[in-house]
């Protein structure tokens, strides 16, 4: 039983199905969907999705940037250039992609439902679990319950499965806010998207932008520090003018992208986190993705870690004699790596946000590629 039909839950369901293990996914939402935003799929993530049999669909839906640049926020000067194009395939065995989250989510859901049209149960908001020697049982707010051999919380950073399993403190606001927007590429000067993927860094601010959907749409995320987050909700609609004010000192090409955002496609998110855990499982219950290790988005690895988790967990369940052994092997394979990514994702932002922007290249020695994250293959890593 998987609680949550996000990218992690659906990846795990599909990997289980492909291993001949039936899966059931319970999702609180009344319909399947994803936020309107882009996602970077580094080679370790694409490797996972390709191994699920989705290579052609992924290649059709995703964009491989030819190269990426880190720009100075004011002058636009290129501080660091990273070659992409065919190189990641040659070096790591899979492409570096950028994709609309909804396209990846839909691709996974379609494949899961093609294997088993009854696999995903919508309108099932998880409330609590019980377990005994024979089964784990999930109880839902709609009054129903369901039982299975294993229960895995794939229910994101606000995970209720985690709250019951390990701690009662709620996730904490990290002090970072992200504005996410989608803008039509036709509405910005072509030089604003050269290279097709890039970031502008400046003191206390970071602007990430890349092309998705075959170059039609620009996805951007603009990060800044905020002292508090005053609303109950974690995401809310934002005025485009608010982003322009916050990034008023940024290069005119970055501002041209923000200005091109249709008002209804601009959102603001508070970034929340929880402390790293040394262990994620108890009896027949475990965690996956953001529920296990909420990861700040500054290395673009959160969803990729959820994909890796889902595949490794399915392999462990397929290769073990019992649930206890499977969850032990799953944690042994995943806790150290995901903690490393959590810690470094929280740390890298200080280098992006530092006041001496001009010297960024001198301190860019620890990033997602130099940490060796891209060469991980979730299908063959020892379990
Ligand atoms: C601004 C921003 C940019 C990002 N960019 C990137 C990027 O470029 N690359 C990358 O790899 N990652 C990125 N991430 C991180 C990524 O979005 C997350 O790490 C990823 O979505 C985690 O997937 P998940 O499946 O674990 O959880 P989620 O995507 O949060 O899915 C959880 C699912 O569980 C459901 N659920 C929740 N509670 C319940 C309940 N009680 N009962 C039933 N269902 C429930 C939810 O409705 C949802 O469907 C970014 C994040 C942010 C905020």
């Amino acid at each position: 039983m998987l609680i949550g039909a996000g990218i992690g839950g659906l990846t795990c369901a599909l990997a289980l199905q492909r291993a001949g293990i039936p899966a059931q996914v319970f999702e609180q939402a009344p319909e399947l969907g994803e936020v309107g935003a882009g996602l970077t799929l580094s080679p370790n993530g694409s490797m996972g999705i390709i191994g699920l049999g989705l290579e052609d669909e992924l290649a059709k839906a995703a964009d491989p940037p030819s190269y990426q640049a880190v720009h100075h926020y004011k002058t636009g000067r290129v501080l660091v250039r990273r070659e992409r194009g065919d190189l990641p395939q040659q070096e790591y065995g899979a492409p570096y992609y950028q994709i609309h989250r909804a396209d990846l989510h839909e691709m996974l859901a379609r494949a899961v439902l093609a294997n088993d049209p009854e696999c995903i149960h919508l309108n099932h908001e998880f409330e609590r679990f019980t377990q005994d020697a024979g089964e784990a049982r999930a109880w839902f707010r709609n009054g129903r319950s369901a039982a299975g051999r294993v229960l895995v919380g794939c229910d994101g950073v606000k995970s209720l499965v985690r709250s019951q399993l390990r701690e009662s403190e709620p996730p904490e606001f990290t002090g970072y806010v992200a504005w996410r927007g989608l803008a039509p590429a036709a509405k910005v000067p072509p030089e604003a998207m050269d290279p097709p993927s890039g970031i502008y860094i400046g003191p206390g601010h970071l602007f990430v932008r890349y092309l998705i959907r075959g170059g039609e749409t620009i996805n951007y995320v603009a990060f800044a520090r905020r002292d508090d987050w005053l609303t109950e909700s974690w995401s809310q609609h934002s005025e485009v003018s608010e982003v322009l004010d916050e990034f008023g000192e940024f290069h005119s090409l970055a501002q041209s992208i923000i200005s091109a955002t249709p008002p209804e496609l601009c959102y603001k998110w508070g970034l929340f986190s929880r402390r790293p855990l040394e262990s994620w499982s108890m009896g027949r219950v475990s965690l996956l993705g953001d529920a296990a290790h909420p990861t700040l988005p500054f290395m673009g690895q959160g969803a990729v870690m959820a994909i890796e988790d889902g595949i490794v967990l399915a392999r462990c369940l397929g290769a073990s004699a019992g649930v206890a052994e499977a969850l032990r092997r799953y944690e042994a394979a995943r806790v150290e790596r995901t903690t490393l990514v959590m810690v470094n994702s929280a740390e890298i932002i200080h280098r992006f946000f530092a006041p001496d922007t001009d010297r960024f290249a001198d301190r860019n020695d620890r990033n997602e590629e130099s940490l060796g994250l891209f060469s991980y293959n979730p299908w063959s890593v020892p379990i």
Side-chain angles (χ1 to χ4, degrees), residues 1 3 26 126-130 136-140 144-148 151:
M1 279 186 301
I3 309 298
F26 298 90
F126 170 87
E127 209 170 28
R128 65 190 171 89
F129 65 79
T130 49
R137 182 168 290 273
W139 300 84
F140 302 100
R144 298 194 191 146
S145 76
L151 184 153

Side-chain angles (χ1 to χ4, degrees), residues 179-184 207 220 222 236-248 254-268:
W179 285 267
R180 293 169 123 176
L182 296 173
F207 182 79
Y220 71 82
Q236 56 185 266
H237 183 255
S238 169
E239 296 300 322
V240 175
S241 58
E242 187 185 342
V243 199
L244 283 172
D245 285 349
E246 185 74 42
F247 287 78
Q255 294 202 27
S256 71
I257 295 172
I258 301 170
S259 303
T261 322
E264 70 280 9
L265 293 183
C266 186
Y267 283 88
K268 181 162 73 169

